[in-house]
Amino acid sequence: MLTDTSGIHHITGIVRDAQENVDFYSGVLGLRLVKQTVNFNDKFTRHLFYGDETGSPGTALTFFPYPAEDDGRPGKPQISTAALTIPSNSVSYWQDRLAEHDVTVEGPLNRFDETILRFSDPDGTQLELVTGESDVEPWANGSVPTQHAIRGIHGVTLLSTNIFVTASVLETLGFELRDQAGDRVRYQTQGDRASVVDLLDRDAEFGREGAGSIHHVAVRIPEKDQLYEWHDLFRERGYDVSRVKDRHFFHSLYVREPGGILFELATEAPGLTAEGDLDSLGQSLFLPPWLEEDREMIEGQLQPLDPSSGEGTN
């Protein structure tokens, strides 16, 4: 029997420079680099995971760095924005911190009952810091004081080519219509973290995937067996759905719904701490067993990376 998702599992973007990515997300935003591995479909491309201390579901931002990638172009159909949760009393702190790192900030803005700071990462990925409640305990040894640190994912904003079909898919997954403000329609799950998906009901040009664009958003699914049921459901509806894939840290499948948004459905277990000591997470390149024999060749093709830019006691 299918179970509604409790919210977002992770968000994955495309960038150019791996070191610049680490310097920003770990050094500036204070997230922990939990795992550095490779794209299992493209072993010569890094895959970087950030989040709380363990990169738990609902906190993970992940990135594929492609050094020669062209700029993405915002538009439909895309995941236009990734939003992260901060404490309600931390808005001024983050305004000052981002300004100190020469990040242009729009806001504070008000939306629903939230306060928002809007900005972009070095590749142009559109980000928001949003005040709100979360059960996430932030990483205590990051570059940001714990009382102001990011509390996981808040949600994503979608630009669909067919908002009604995308809304139907969200409802199928377990999101419920909660509110509307202007052209922004809010869907939310019952989960206690990473529970928000906003749909923008507006005209927009067609976008282009590239550096600075968000590739997909994954939602949490309790067990692997349910993925096969979701696969059959989406296939019966004629959606473009992948087979169930072994991502080592979780199992998942991908579905491209008719509105053009790429969703991943991912299990919560075994998780990013399944391999390696907790204290040394993210410090070395992890390869799954089926790629380990190619380690020397793979490491020789990857640009050097210093994972330490976000370390240190705040």
Side-chain angles (χ1 to χ4, degrees), residues 89-210:
N89 62 349
S90 297
V91 174
S92 295
Y93 170 84
W94 279 103
Q95 281 184 284
D96 294 341
R97 179 172 181 81
L98 292 170
E100 288 170 2
H101 288 86
D102 297 322
V103 177
T104 301
V105 179
E106 182 183 357
L109 307 170
N110 295 318
R111 186 169 66 209
F112 301 118
D113 58 350
E114 305 156 343
T115 302
I116 300 107
L117 298 177
R118 186 175 294 153
F119 59 101
S120 299
D121 74 3
D123 286 281
T125 310
Q126 296 180 33
L127 302 170
E128 292 176 343
L129 296 179
V130 181
T131 58
E133 299 297 324
S134 172
D135 69 339
V136 173
E137 291 292 332
W139 184 36
N141 295 321
S143 58
V144 174
T146 306
Q147 66 269 30
H148 297 301
I150 289 169
R151 264 74 170 165
I153 294 168
H154 176 269
V156 291
T157 300
L158 309 182
L159 270 173
S160 168
T161 59
N162 189 327
I163 188 173
F164 301 105
V165 174
T166 303
S168 177
V169 172
L170 290 174
E171 290 169 355
T172 299
L173 289 170
F175 289 84
E176 299 177 357
L177 177 63
R178 289 295 176 84
D179 208 343
Q180 182 168 357
D183 60 5
R184 181 176 294 267
V185 184
R186 171 149 298 182
Y187 283 81
Q188 195 163 3
T189 69
Q190 299 294 331
D192 49 16
R193 65 170 73 178
S195 61
V196 170
V197 173
D198 287 349
L199 294 177
L200 293 181
D201 186 11
R202 65 175 64 158
D203 291 331
E205 299 294 328
F206 279 91
R208 179 181 62 213
E209 189 173 273

Side-chain angles (χ1 to χ4, degrees), residues 18-19 21-28 31-33 36 50 139 141-143 281-284 304-313:
Q19 187 64 60
N21 190 253
V22 171
D23 293 345
F24 185 79
Y25 283 91
S26 189
V28 178
L31 302 176
R32 187 179 193 186
L33 176 61
Q36 49 166 315
Y50 305 88
W139 184 36
N141 295 321
S143 58
L281 290 177
Q283 296 304 297
S284 60
L305 181 67
D306 176 7
S308 64
S309 65
E311 292 182 345
T313 303

Side-chain angles (χ1 to χ4, degrees), residues 193-265:
R193 65 170 73 178
S195 61
V196 170
V197 173
D198 287 349
L199 294 177
L200 293 181
D201 186 11
R202 65 175 64 158
D203 291 331
E205 299 294 328
F206 279 91
R208 179 181 62 213
E209 189 173 273
S213 64
I214 298 173
H215 185 263
H216 67 267
V217 58
V219 298
R220 307 197 291 276
I221 300 299
E223 299 176 354
K224 176 183 174 184
D225 288 348
Q226 289 196 17
L227 290 175
Y228 295 99
E229 296 183 54
W230 282 109
H231 173 275
D232 292 346
L233 175 65
F234 287 125
R235 187 173 182 181
E236 287 170 5
R237 296 185 179 184
Y239 293 178
D240 181 9
V241 60
S242 76
R243 62 178 176 82
V244 174
K245 299 176 181 288
D246 181 0
R247 296 311 193 194
H248 195 74
F249 308 111
F250 50 85
H251 285 79
S252 72
L253 63 79
Y254 298 85
V255 57
R256 177 82 68 179
E257 52 87 23
I261 305 298
L262 181 61
F263 288 97
E264 184 179 12
L265 283 64

